Amino acid sequence: MKISVLTVCWNSAATIRHTLDSFFSQSHESKELIVVDGASSDETLSIVRSYPQEQMRLVSEPDRGMYDALNKGLRLYTGDAVGVLNSDDCYHDPFALSRISKALQEGDVAHGNLDFVENHLTKRVVRRWRATPKPSKGFRTGWMPAHPTFYVTRTVADTVGDFDLELKVASDYDWMLRAIELFGFRSVVIDQVMIDMMQGGESTKGIRSHLAHNIEALHSRRKWLGSGPVDYALVAKPARKVGQFIAARMGP
């Protein structure tokens, strides 16, 4: 199975070496990296070009943000499966793509565990996201997969389509909801840490970002699941995050 990985970036020189190193260290041989750059003005492009180009495609041009760049990536990839590796995140170990390939032999979607880390030098874990199988009411319960661990077959990607550009911080949530709830694709849990994610992305910067994400996620549930103005997941989803911080304090 050829796995395509989408990395979108803009002025990511401070972190993208860690990301690229983790991709090229993957033991799974049939892979490609699609780097969609938003016309960076720092050293990002020279760093990307310093890596082997045989398994990489680079596009650099202005875009309308992360989700617009991901949509470009969805039109460019050539693999049998696709997922996202953010330009400040890393695979946890060299076997992540191999595990994904194996899981996608059993289901349409694979997702797994994720550690939020302070940085990629100390790897100090500040939050632990542990994947669980989809409950009977799915996203209505506050459940969701961790998007950086979320890989799908080409059939899923073609069916779900583009990321919604009207959503600024939760279009990934909306995309996963459509894949699993709207179209009913079967998900498989990989009970291993797949990604080390830098704390501080668009949806994890602080209270304001968490609030914006929850409001947009509610909009998605109202649109696709018929939720009311307020639903159970609006409270349950943030509550799950509290447990993730507690788990980090308690250790592995």
Side-chain angles (χ1 to χ4, degrees):
M1 173 181 285
K2 182 178 180 180
I3 302 178
S4 298
V5 178
L6 310 182
T7 295
V8 303
C9 56
W10 181 74
N11 289 347
S12 302
T15 58
I16 199 166
R17 286 188 188 277
H18 298 290
T19 305
L20 297 174
D21 285 345
S22 77
F23 171 81
F24 284 104
S25 70
Q26 289 298 297
S27 62
H28 189 77
E29 295 184 358
S30 186
K31 59 183 182 288
E32 70 171 354
L33 182 66
I34 309 295
V35 179
V36 185
D37 175 75
S40 290
S41 58
D42 66 356
E43 297 300 310
T44 297
L45 292 177
S46 62
I47 292 171
V48 173
R49 289 174 176 141
S50 72
Y51 282 77
Q53 301 296 300
E54 293 81 7
Q55 293 182 310
M56 184 194 304
R57 180 170 181 179
L58 169 64
V59 176
S60 181
E61 61 188 20
D63 56 47
R64 297 167 56 192
M66 177 178 66
Y67 297 123
D68 183 35
L70 285 175
N71 285 340
K72 292 179 183 180
L74 287 176
R75 291 189 282 272
L76 293 171
Y77 84 94
T78 64
D80 306 300
V82 64
V84 175
L85 182 65
N86 296 319
S87 63
D88 53 359
D89 298 342
C90 298
Y91 291 113
H92 183 72
D93 60 36
F95 311 109
L97 292 185
S98 295
R99 295 186 186 108
I100 290 164
S101 178
K102 181 179 179 181
L104 289 177
Q105 306 298 323
E106 304 172 13
D108 311 299
V109 171
H111 64 97
N113 300 339
L114 176 150
D115 282 347
F116 288 86
V117 298
E118 189 174 61
N119 59 63
H120 293 302
L121 296 177
T122 68
K123 294 291 189 181
R124 187 177 79 85
V125 178
V126 297
R127 178 179 160 196
R128 300 183 191 277
W129 185 312
R130 295 300 177 257
T132 58
K134 184 179 82 71
S136 61
K137 294 186 178 180
F139 282 71
R140 294 176 176 85
T141 68
W143 174 88
M144 62 176 288
H147 186 251
T149 74
F150 195 81
Y151 282 72
V152 304
T153 64
R154 177 172 284 275
T155 297
V156 175
D158 289 346
T159 302
V160 177
D162 284 353
F163 288 86
D164 185 349
L165 300 188
E166 294 299 316
L167 301 174
K168 304 305 179 186
V169 293
S171 193
D172 47 359
Y173 175 94
D174 177 82
W175 204 93
M176 295 188 294
L177 184 152
R178 283 185 279 152
I180 293 175
E181 301 283 10
L182 189 63
F183 295 107
F185 287 110
R186 186 163 63 91
S187 61
V188 176
V189 171
I190 301 172
D191 191 19
Q192 301 272 353
V193 177
M194 295 168 60
I195 298 290
D196 294 334
M197 180 176 182
M198 283 273 284
Q199 182 78 0
E202 285 302 316
S203 63
T204 62
K205 286 179 179 177
I207 294 176
R208 183 175 297 180
S209 295
H210 284 295
L211 180 60
H213 189 278
N214 285 329
I215 290 173
E216 287 193 358
L218 174 61
H219 171 84
S220 178
R221 292 191 300 274
R222 292 179 66 184
K223 180 177 181 179
W224 301 115
L225 304 180
S227 297
V230 176
D231 65 0
Y232 175 76
L234 187 64
V235 175
K237 184 171 169 290
R240 287 174 179 263
K241 294 180 180 178
V242 173
Q244 294 166 7
F245 284 105
I246 294 173
R249 288 180 175 272
M250 295 177 64

